[in-house]
Amino acid sequence: MPTNEELITELEAREAKIKQMGGPEQIKKQHAQNKLTARERIDLLFDPDTFVETGMHVKHHCHYFGLDKVDIPADGVVTGYGKVNGRTVCCYAQDFTSRGGSLGEMHAWKIAKTMDLAAKMRVPLIGMLDTGGARIQEGISALDGYGQIFHRNTLYSGIVPQITLSMGPCAGGAVYSPALTDWILMVKGSSYMYVTGPDVVKAVTSEEVTHEQLGGTMVHNVKSGVAHFVYNSDAECIEGCKQLLSYLPQSVYDKPDSTYKKPTDPADRTCPELDTIVPENPRKAYDMKQVIKAIVDDGEFFEPHKHYALNMIVCFARFNGHAVGIIANQPSYMAGVLDINASDKAARFIRFCDAFNIPLLTLVDVPGYMPGTYQEFGGVIRHGAKVLSAYSEATVPKITVCTHKAYGGSEVSMCSRSIGADVYMAWPTAELAVMGAEGAAAIIFRREITKAADPEAKRQEVAELYRQTFNNPYVAAAGGYIDKIIRARDTRREVIATLESLLNKKEERPWKKHGNIPL
Ligand code: HXC
């Protein structure tokens, strides 16, 4: 019989061996690629000495292709829970040094257990992915493992926030778990994601592409919109994840306003620079980010999808300490027009905030929808409808501030009163109308303009008439479509006063299984 001391020595020896992961050669290779190991990443994420590892001694059951003779430490994935800035989160980190972080039956089982634990603990789930995909020797067991994970990603969506840190290869079916999570953070140079790799692309299409060109960070942060954040290193990416977590509740069950942070920025601070930010010349633009910066606490906001669909801004920020999700048109890019990508970007953000009880502030300056065959063939009807659906469905406090243009269908889309804004405010520069004065006057006064001795002078005269009638906030306010016309300089104060009054808002929806959002 071994002594107690011998048993402890054995445990320590086993733990030490597992912690060596794929061994010094593989670790050296990992570092040479500018990548940290799974355990180094975990150390950076969690508060010191808080991480509790689970399933460290799990072994695979595979007998094929000599794998029964191979020991894969922790089966290639480190799992557990601990504290991040004092709040509990569950995490799994794939270990590329151990058989390329490939996913077999038990590797998947460990991840699935961690996901179940996150849902039971009601805490966020963080996945750090660095993997060659399905463990080829395990065949269908590996595929089943992916299915188990996808199923849980879906079941726990809207229960706990799910965040993916894509920190290496992420190929084949491996990309669908990230896609089912709420947020994807990538690392420049080391992370790439695609369904079919360069070899398959070449065989099928004869196109020669690198990993980076096919699914690198800028592909997904700029073009596809699959990823939300990009960082220069693993350490920066983990820091970004912590920043994101600071705005998120632990789960849907968390008490409202759980991420409140004592403010230092005065709630009654005015922003005089905003009084003149909207240019008098309607053809000139301004940067909506300057408005956001001016009105939020300490000028700080945290922006997902910073490089994607730049005509729409989405971000987290605080007002007098309360976390809020902001959706804003960006007039300085494509005039802030609504298109397919901007609609998808906004709708998904709105749905995330609503699912996790984060109030919404919408800043409106939108000239309409992007015209053209490219948009129509791409389904701008279907994508644009997502925004209407997301706002209409959302029951969190919804405040809208119109700074300038709100024309046509896009006026309705950007959280108008009709689709559920609790309070709609407008600056004196706001124009809520079917369209801009020039366009409107050219249509309804076409005959008068054509017949006039000086058509140009007539065109300007009738445009001015239309502008004075509709392109201001007063007709909309007279109809009750706007609750309040505010001075731009008072926006911060007004938003805070309204937000704090709405924090305990309750809005019910009739029971149903689920709606059918236009996907
Ligand atoms: C088993 C794998 C593996 C895998 C990597 N390894 N991927 N083992 N199954 N999927 C092993 C390698 O054999 C190697 O073992 C070690 O991990 C490190 O891999 P390298 O190839 O040396 O690394 P690197 O050169 O950096 O290349 C990374 C890579 C490449 C591009 C990801 O490993 C690769 O192409 N892997 C296969 C990718 C793939 O086709 N996966 C299946 C996708 S299908 P040794 O012993 O030499 O150190 C899929 C379907 C899921 O995922 C569907 C779900 C619905």
Side-chain angles (χ1 to χ4, degrees), residues 320-353:
N320 209 26
H322 310 286
V324 164
I326 300 176
I327 302 99
N329 308 113
Q330 172 56 290
S332 70
Y333 189 84
M334 285 163 54
V337 74
L338 278 182
D339 63 359
I340 292 170
N341 293 349
S343 299
D344 280 6
K345 175 173 171 176
R348 189 148 168 82
F349 185 74
I350 295 162
R351 283 171 65 81
F352 175 82
C353 291

Side-chain angles (χ1 to χ4, degrees), residues 50-288:
T50 64
F51 181 65
V52 178
E53 186 168 347
T54 57
M56 191 185 206
H57 305 277
V58 165
K59 289 183 187 299
H60 68 79
H61 302 154
C62 180
H63 305 289
Y64 299 109
F65 302 105
L67 210 62
D68 46 345
K69 295 182 189 66
V70 175
D71 197 21
I72 305 180
D75 206 34
V77 60
V78 183
T79 55
Y81 50 88
K83 303 247 188 228
V84 175
N85 289 331
R87 300 158 83 210
T88 303
V89 306
C90 284
C91 176
Y92 68 89
Q94 292 179 310
D95 168 16
F96 196 85
T97 71
S98 301
R99 293 280 153 163
S102 57
L103 181 141
E105 176 199 2
M106 296 310 288
H107 179 120
W109 183 84
K110 284 181 68 175
I111 294 175
K113 268 210 86 176
T114 310
M115 297 172 84
D116 291 339
L117 207 53
K120 284 189 269 191
M121 287 180 172
R122 301 181 171 185
V123 301
L125 174 81
I126 294 165
M128 297 184 180
L129 272 65
D130 190 358
T131 175
R135 189 174 293 152
I136 295 162
Q137 297 90 329
E138 296 208 25
I140 185 67
S141 306
L143 295 189
D144 181 77
Y146 269 122
Q148 300 282 348
I149 294 168
F150 303 161
H151 187 60
R152 283 167 175 78
N153 282 134
T154 308
L155 294 187
Y156 303 145
S157 175
I159 305 273
V160 295
Q162 299 182 51
I163 303 173
T164 301
L165 277 56
S166 172
M167 307 179 107
C170 189
V175 297
Y176 284 116
S177 174
L180 288 164
T181 64
D182 299 301
W183 304 105
I184 300 179
L185 292 69
M186 294 181 82
V187 182
K188 238 183 213 166
S190 51
S191 120
Y192 51 87
M193 301 170 67
Y194 43 66
V195 175
T196 47
D199 293 352
V200 184
V201 172
K202 191 173 175 201
V204 176
T205 69
S206 308
E207 196 184 348
E208 296 234 20
V209 278
T210 62
H211 294 298
E212 190 71 22
Q213 287 165 337
L214 190 59
T217 46
M218 295 329 271
V219 169
H220 292 309
N221 277 274
V222 177
K223 293 185 183 182
S224 73
V226 164
H228 304 90
F229 301 94
V230 52
Y231 295 97
N232 288 317
S233 66
D234 284 11
E236 271 187 29
C237 181
I238 290 166
E239 207 41 54
C241 175
K242 291 187 195 183
Q243 227 179 327
L244 174 60
L245 281 169
S246 73
Y247 291 100
L248 311 187
Q250 292 289 85
S251 76
V252 65
Y253 307 109
D254 214 347
K255 62 179 194 312
D257 206 24
S258 61
T259 55
Y260 173 79
K261 196 172 140 199
K262 205 170 173 339
T264 49
D265 197 353
D268 59 357
R269 176 172 59 77
T270 58
C271 316
E273 69 275 25
L274 296 186
D275 282 346
T276 50
I277 196 166
V278 175
E280 285 164 14
N281 178 350
R283 301 201 185 283
K284 285 205 169 146
Y286 61 99
D287 183 358
M288 188 65 96

